[in-house]
Amino acid sequence: MHDGGRPVLEVQGLKTVFRVRGGEIHAVNNVSFDLKPGELLGVVGESGSGKSVTMMSLLGLLPSPPAEVRDGKVLLDGQDLLKADEDTLRDVRGGKVGFIFQDPMTSLNPVFTVGYQIMEPLRKHMGMDKKAAKARAVELLELVGIPSAEQRLSDYPHQFSGGMRQRVMIAIALSCDPKVLIADEPTTALDVTIQAQIIELMKELRQKLGMAVIWITHDLGVIAGIADRVMVMYGGQVVEHAPVRELFGNPQHPYTKALLKTVPSVRGERVRRLTIIEGQPPILGAPPSSCPFRDRCASAVEECARRNPSRTAIGKGHDVACVLVEQKEAAHA
Amino acid sequence: MLDAAPSKKPLVEVRNLKMHFPIYAGLLRRRVGEVKAVDGVSFDVYEGETLGLVGESGCGKSTCGRALLRLYEVTDGSITIDGVDIATLSNSDLREKRPTMQMVFQDPQASLNPRMTVQAIIQEPLDEHTTLSTKEKQQKVYELMDAVGLNRRFAGRYPHAFSGGQRQRIGIARALALNPKFIVCDEPIAALDVSIQAQVVNLLEDLQEQFGLTYLFISHDLSMVRHIATRVAVMYLGKIVELAPREALYASPLHPYTEALLSAVPEPDPSLEAKVERIILQGDVPSPANPPKGCNFCTRCPKVMPICREVEPQTREVRPGHFAACHLHEITSQPAGKTAAQEANERQHGE
Ligand SMILES: Nc1ncnc2c1ncn2[C@@H]1O[C@H](COP(=O)(O)OP(=O)(O)OP(=O)(O)O)[C@@H](O)[C@H]1O
Ligand code: SF4
Ligand SMILES: [Mg+2]
């Protein structure tokens, strides 16, 4: 589906810090990735690993203070968004880049009709008049599978079910033909049967519209089904990155390996005892000078305490940030 | 109605349990209807087993769990726990019975009093229900903290100083304080991170073995339920549509809702995932204030028949220990004579 051509989005060395009472939280630390036209990049990681902060940093959506994007480049079609002014960013958000957040109830404004909320960006970004915007809104609601779309334009968000609201959010995100869609846990608040509907819908829409998608989730199952490539985050960093089959079939980072073993399955073999990862994820008050996974890592060696490993390429499109992997690669070279 | 293997002894017997909540509306707050959150469910929980209760949000799982512990006044039906009918017990008798049944909640943050220390939180049930000395209570709290893997040194700290997983351990320690036999775990891992969920599930398994506990494990996470449960009940819109031993349910579900539900679960393995035949249900769950006529699931069922829109299917033991409430199985499991289902079907087809 993706042509492996020039990336639409390139993120380099992104660093985001929150200033809080008594210090700083280094939420995103040196994150780099790119996104090719039409591909779906999955982002997994546990709560607090920096998934949302990364994506919000890209679009200048974090309140500052307390947030500060301290370093990095975010190139959208070659233009650095971190250097862009607020007007440009406002154009990008909901224009070239659509986004969907986890909780559709808080992301839709309860006091405006759904129709208004779909038409607003169309008029703003695409300069449509009222009639054209309305026609497009109906088209979009039909596209995401909302029955009697025209009548429903005058309904308010609370008149829709959770799954329907998420469809509306998708319709809004798609309204201006974005090149990139960022979906932050778009199905986490939904029931599995509704999640299955939304995932099916997203697959169809990607076929039809060919946009690139970043899909954030903590659910490895969802990732396995939809992603082309996967980026695993831990402690504000990318610890492993690989094509989806490679990541599941040949995980190399101790965190990825352990994570894949902690989740039971409804179809595969049933294990008697779940593998666990001891301890808690870290909250980083400073850029880590050692591997952030060290305290919980079953394979840790002395060197892991001495430095924070950087991402090492180990195969086509597969890289890992782990001292052991670095050592193994060095031994091969 | 739903008892299977005779060798096993039920600790909890639920019969035709109904929990309806009134809906009031208008200026005079007149009663205009009711939400049938739980509408006639029957099941047993055997001593020492984990009965998984699964279903989607709003299907009545939590209400069912809470009603079992008489956290509500039930609308109808009976709940027998360890030989005593909880549903009709007087308040003072209920108080005496309380220690044997406990609950672990979904949100460890909200269920712990932020102004109490861990010591005080775990000790509270001991204060209320026992005559232990201060020293004995202290000792008991330490033992409980050991049992759930909390460091004794943290006894004087407040809940906010703990992570989600640790808070859930505090909640579990508290639930264990009075040596209960039966614990309702209501989505105990839903608010936790993937890597922490496994920690808590393993802990619950260890404690079950150590103390001979019986669990009702309420969850929407079908993979985790497959891991922890002995038997599994599936709820849809206030009713149990299927109940079976774990492997029977996951390997050969009988009810079309169970089939769809299981097929919807994503598989954390791309090669398996590519082979999953997904049944995509259309539409949303109807409101429990206005459930459809006939079978609850008839508005979304991919295998719906005319009779389903007319007659409510009865729960039947289709295979030993495997119960389903579905006309598809009503017909095949009743060879003798015409069933109500067949008759209604014939009526529908104008015979
Ligand atoms: N407004 C804020 N002020 C201070 N710290 C913040 C703020 N927002 C986020 N953080 C911190 O940034 C870090 C990364 O958070 P982020 O929300 O990106 O995690 P996430 O990976 O999206 O997690 P989840 O899976 O829970 O959504 C966390 O340590 C979090 O506590
Ligand atoms: S660098 Fe060391 S501590 Fe970190 S993941 Fe690798 S082995 Fe474990
Ligand atoms: Mg997030």
Side-chain angles (χ1 to χ4, degrees):
Chain A
M1 180 172 294
H2 44 103
D3 57 6
R6 243 186 78 216
V8 266
L9 181 70
E10 273 182 273
V11 175
Q12 295 163 6
L14 187 72
K15 273 189 190 160
T16 304
V17 170
F18 290 97
R19 291 172 195 270
V20 290
R21 237 180 345 146
E24 294 183 333
I25 293 174
H26 287 248
V28 175
N29 190 26
N30 199 13
V31 165
S32 303
F33 63 91
D34 61 14
L35 186 70
K36 309 227 169 54
E39 80 169 334
L40 194 145
L41 175 70
V43 182
V44 283
E46 52 202 296
S47 192
S49 61
K51 307 182 295 293
S52 301
V53 172
T54 299
M55 299 312 154
M56 293 175 88
S57 304
L58 304 187
L59 296 173
L61 282 171
L62 291 169
S64 171
E68 182 192 326
V69 178
R70 198 163 277 178
D71 206 356
K73 275 198 183 127
V74 175
L75 304 173
L76 180 69
D77 277 335
Q79 180 188 22
D80 191 348
L81 296 184
L82 295 185
K83 294 212 179 83
D85 55 25
E86 188 52 36
D87 278 349
T88 314
L89 284 177
R90 223 169 306 171
D91 255 9
V92 166
R93 298 194 287 252
K96 261 191 196 170
V97 182
F99 47 91
I100 309 168
F101 290 107
Q102 172 162 1
D103 180 1
M105 203 55 208
T106 56
S107 323
L108 286 173
N109 192 328
V111 305
F112 293 115
T113 63
V114 157
Y116 175 82
Q117 295 185 62
I118 305 180
M119 280 146 65
E120 184 56 21
L122 290 170
R123 305 188 64 182
K124 199 171 76 188
H125 293 294
M126 315 272 272
M128 288 187 188
D129 64 18
K130 203 164 170 195
K131 201 165 151 231
K134 186 171 172 191
R136 174 78 177 139
V138 171
E139 214 178 276
L140 283 162
L141 286 184
E142 277 167 359
L143 181 72
V144 297
I146 290 187
S148 7
E150 186 151 5
Q151 283 101 293
R152 303 232 57 178
L153 285 178
S154 50
D155 284 350
Y156 289 86
H158 72 90
Q159 291 168 287
F160 289 77
S161 69
M164 285 291 174
R165 281 198 291 267
Q166 202 59 306
R167 286 168 188 263
V168 172
M169 284 300 300
I170 294 174
I172 294 174
L174 297 179
S175 58
C176 303
D177 302 323
K179 287 192 155 175
V180 177
L181 178 69
I182 299 180
D184 189 355
E185 308 257 12
T187 59
T188 305
L190 305 175
D191 280 318
V192 274
T193 62
I194 309 296
Q195 167 170 288
Q197 291 176 357
I198 299 287
I199 289 177
E200 209 56 30
L201 170 68
M202 280 299 297
K203 284 184 182 163
E204 260 177 56
L205 291 175
R206 277 185 65 213
Q207 293 273 0
K208 259 190 225 161
L209 312 173
M211 69 213 153
V213 179
I214 300 177
W215 188 297
I216 302 178
T217 175
H218 62 277
D219 189 331
L220 290 164
V222 171
I223 285 291
I226 56 165
D228 298 313
R229 274 193 298 145
V230 188
M231 189 162 97
V232 182
M233 290 190 69
Y234 190 86
Q237 292 174 205
V238 177
V239 294
E240 185 155 11
H241 160 235
V244 68
R245 277 174 189 266
E246 170 80 2
L247 189 99
F248 282 85
N250 181 29
Q252 287 301 316
H253 195 283
Y255 173 65
T256 317
K257 285 189 203 169
L259 193 65
L260 288 172
K261 279 196 211 132
T262 62
V263 289
S265 136
V266 299
R267 301 179 186 84
E269 212 173 310
R270 180 178 169 275
V271 295
R272 266 191 54 80
R273 184 92 177 153
L274 295 176
T275 309
I276 61 167
I277 307 175
E278 298 283 357
Q280 317 288 333
I283 294 174
L284 299 162
S289 57
S290 57
C291 170
F293 188 54
R294 193 186 77 243
D295 294 343
R296 307 176 74 189
C297 181
S299 328
V301 294
E302 219 179 286
E303 181 150 352
C304 308
R306 282 204 291 273
R307 62 197 176 81
N308 187 2
S310 47
R311 287 164 69 179
T312 310
I314 60 163
K316 197 161 177 288
H318 189 172
D319 60 77
V320 187
C322 168
V323 163
L324 296 182
V325 173
E326 267 179 22
Q327 287 174 345
K328 207 158 86 191
E329 287 302 303
H332 277 296
Chain B
M1 170 170 54
L2 296 185
D3 29 30
S7 60
K8 292 195 193 148
K9 190 169 148 240
L11 176 70
V12 180
E13 292 166 84
V14 180
R15 293 297 174 270
N16 199 27
L17 178 67
K18 289 187 183 165
M19 192 63 235
H20 296 179
F21 298 105
I23 311 170
Y24 298 99
L27 229 46
L28 301 170
R29 312 300 299 155
R30 275 227 309 272
R31 185 179 172 134
V32 294
E34 51 191 2
V35 175
K36 296 174 176 168
V38 176
D39 198 23
V41 309
S42 301
F43 60 88
D44 289 340
V45 191
Y46 299 126
E47 220 158 50
E49 82 164 340
T50 299
L51 179 69
L53 183 58
V54 300
E56 299 181 279
S57 59
C59 73
K61 314 182 286 292
S62 294
T63 308
C64 182
R66 301 177 75 101
L68 246 58
L69 301 187
R70 257 285 287 281
L71 299 176
Y72 299 125
E73 290 306 317
V74 306
T75 310
D76 198 10
S78 72
I79 304 157
T80 314
I81 299 185
D82 211 11
V84 180
D85 187 353
I86 300 291
T88 54
L89 220 53
S90 74
N91 278 337
S92 59
D93 289 342
L94 187 63
R95 206 188 116 78
E96 224 167 275
K97 195 75 187 158
R98 277 260 173 260
T100 56
M101 42 195 216
Q102 293 293 324
M103 188 140 179
V104 172
F105 296 92
Q106 164 165 8
D107 185 354
Q109 171 86 40
S111 58
L112 303 176
N113 186 335
R115 281 180 294 278
M116 284 164 76
T117 62
V118 170
Q119 164 82 38
I121 289 170
I122 302 177
Q123 188 178 308
E124 197 179 37
L126 299 172
D127 295 337
E128 274 174 32
H129 289 276
T130 71
T131 53
L132 297 178
S133 72
T134 311
K135 212 170 145 219
E136 286 167 327
K137 282 187 228 168
Q138 172 80 71
Q139 187 52 36
K140 178 81 183 169
V141 168
Y142 281 159
E143 284 166 18
L144 289 164
M145 290 183 75
D146 292 347
V148 300
L150 283 170
N151 195 319
R152 290 180 179 203
R153 280 191 295 129
F154 300 158
R157 294 197 188 174
Y158 291 87
H160 68 81
F162 294 88
S163 68
Q166 286 171 321
R167 284 195 208 110
Q168 199 52 287
R169 288 173 197 265
I170 300 170
I172 294 170
R174 180 188 154 96
L176 290 175
L178 299 168
N179 306 317
K181 287 188 168 172
F182 176 52
I183 300 185
V184 173
C185 306
D186 187 7
E187 299 271 9
I189 56 166
L192 306 176
D193 249 315
V194 189
S195 78
I196 310 297
Q197 288 185 350
Q199 292 178 3
V200 171
V201 164
N202 283 3
L203 172 66
L204 287 170
E205 286 179 336
D206 291 344
L207 295 171
Q208 178 166 50
E209 206 176 297
Q210 197 179 340
F211 300 112
L213 299 170
T214 303
Y215 293 142
L216 179 69
F217 189 91
I218 300 172
S219 177
H220 67 275
D221 183 338
L222 289 139
S223 333
M224 204 51 102
V225 166
R226 175 173 177 225
H227 177 77
I228 199 171
T230 325
R231 293 186 307 141
V232 181
V234 182
M235 263 185 103
Y236 184 80
L237 209 56
K239 296 183 194 286
I240 291 183
V241 299
E242 184 159 5
L243 188 156
R246 173 190 65 227
E247 285 313 321
L249 188 103
Y250 283 81
S252 39
L254 295 173
H255 198 286
Y257 176 63
T258 314
E259 269 184 284
L261 192 64
L262 289 173
S263 87
V265 180
E267 186 64 44
D269 175 345
S271 46
L272 269 180
E273 172 69 32
K275 285 186 221 130
V276 174
E277 281 175 37
R278 208 137 265 152
I279 302 163
I280 304 286
L281 291 179
Q282 301 303 314
D284 294 308
V285 185
S287 156
N290 188 19
K293 187 175 169 215
C295 171
N296 266 347
F297 188 51
C298 71
T299 55
R300 298 171 83 202
C301 182
K303 298 182 179 167
V304 64
M305 307 174 288
I307 175 164
C308 308
R309 302 190 207 276
E310 292 288 322
V311 182
E312 188 186 333
Q314 297 303 304
T315 302
R316 288 178 194 257
E317 187 167 6
V318 181
R319 290 177 200 138
H322 196 148
F323 301 84
C326 170
H327 288 300
L328 287 168
H329 301 289
E330 204 157 303
I331 297 164
T332 53
S333 62
Q334 266 237 342
K338 270 185 188 172
T339 62
Q342 284 164 329
E343 276 166 22
N345 244 339
E346 284 165 12
R347 260 204 317 280
Q348 285 270 329
H349 291 116
E351 289 183 21

